[in-house]
Amino acid sequence: MRRIEAVTFDYWNTLVFEDHGQLRRLRLLSWSAILRDAGIVVGSERLEHAFDESWTEYERAWLDNRQYVHEEAVADIVRALGIRPPRLVAAALAESFRGAADTADLHLADGIEDCLRTLRRGGVRIGIVCDVGMTPSSSLVGLLRGRGLLPLFDHWSFSDEVGVYKPDPAIFRHALSGLGDPAPDRVAHIGDRIRTDVAGARGMGMIAVRYTGVYDDDDEGPEAHHVVEHHADIARTLSLG
């Protein structure tokens, strides 16, 4: 293996994870309270159905490499509910998508901080390549900042800023550029998804590492060059420690 100069990490289920459905529950609670306080009556089942429809649309967009961010989800949910909230109420509904991540009890993947510090001590540049869902990248960056981890990253590439999802090469090129344009075969990408992380890294000629510590993907497609269950194994796997 050639000397690794940089490592990029997926975000969800690689750096950070949530208890199942926590963000969705928080957003549903926020919407219920905001609408109730505004005098807009919406049943809980109807609201949940509208949320489910918007998530289905996000998944379609994700597969089609068509950006679908939280502002579009808010518009779709409002349309599905058949309501016309006043401007300030609509703004509060949109802010609830950002606010959920700020208040949720999100977890760092086990061993990730030690892994990042080990990589930095080895002179490795570190980036993020993330497909953004309903939580905007500003909140995701803020979470890392609040946990004291943001200074450990040299660059980040979020789909809502770059404009494409993995496995599109453009988001990986954006990451490599921000990390000083190392040769792709000197860069490892670590993530949990075969379709996006593994396929995207392999397509770029990068070293693909599938992390299974939070989610063990069973999607079809070529496997990663390496599969690790714990972040403590990454430096050794990449011959960095």
Side-chain angles (χ1 to χ4, degrees):
M1 182 186 297
R2 299 180 68 185
R3 165 78 182 169
I4 297 296
E5 297 180 3
V7 175
T8 59
F9 287 84
D10 170 45
Y11 194 97
W12 289 113
N13 293 335
T14 301
L15 296 175
V16 174
F17 66 97
E18 64 167 311
D19 293 327
H20 182 67
Q22 183 185 27
L23 290 171
R24 180 180 184 274
R25 289 193 298 273
L26 288 172
R27 288 170 180 141
L28 282 167
L29 288 171
S30 292
W31 274 59
S32 295
I34 292 166
L35 293 174
R36 183 183 63 246
D37 292 346
I40 301 173
V41 179
V42 174
S44 60
E45 288 188 9
R46 187 174 163 205
L47 183 59
E48 289 184 25
H49 182 67
F51 265 65
D52 289 343
E53 286 186 332
S54 74
W55 183 255
T56 298
E57 179 58 26
Y58 163 73
E59 290 185 322
R60 280 195 292 262
W62 185 42
L63 290 170
D64 293 342
N65 198 14
R66 169 175 52 85
Q67 289 296 295
Y68 185 86
V69 294
H70 77 282
E71 292 93 344
E72 292 165 293
V74 170
D76 282 350
I77 294 168
V78 166
R79 190 178 304 112
L81 294 174
I83 60 176
R84 297 176 62 88
R87 180 176 59 83
L88 291 179
V89 174
L93 295 173
E95 179 58 29
S96 72
F97 275 77
R98 185 189 311 274
D102 297 337
T103 58
D105 184 22
L106 301 177
H107 310 288
L108 296 177
D110 191 25
I112 185 58
E113 181 172 359
D114 288 343
C115 172
L116 295 172
R117 294 191 184 279
T118 298
L119 294 177
R120 287 197 71 85
R121 284 195 298 271
V124 174
R125 295 188 292 277
I126 304 175
I128 297 170
V129 184
C130 170
D131 286 348
V132 170
M134 296 294 104
T135 305
S137 57
S138 57
S139 293
L140 302 182
V141 170
L143 174 63
L144 295 177
R145 181 182 295 111
R147 299 297 183 92
L149 296 189
L150 193 62
L152 299 177
F153 294 93
D154 299 288
H155 181 72
W156 40 86
S157 301
F158 289 96
S159 61
D160 62 346
E161 298 176 354
V162 180
V164 297
Y165 296 116
K166 297 174 287 186
D168 193 306
I171 196 167
F172 288 95
R173 286 196 295 266
H174 184 275
L176 294 178
S177 176
L179 294 170
D181 281 321
D185 63 353
R186 291 180 179 267
V187 182
H189 175 69
I190 299 160
D192 64 309
R193 293 279 184 172
I194 291 173
R195 183 186 70 84
T196 56
D197 296 300
V198 174
R202 278 185 166 276
M204 285 293 294
M206 299 163 65
I207 298 164
V209 180
R210 187 164 68 87
Y211 169 67
T212 65
V214 176
Y215 173 73
D216 190 357
D217 193 13
D218 61 358
D219 201 358
E220 294 183 357
E223 182 56 282
H225 299 99
H226 307 282
V227 178
V228 299
E229 187 176 1
H230 197 283
H231 285 300
D233 298 327
I234 288 174
R236 176 185 52 78
T237 297
L238 299 177
S239 300
L240 294 169

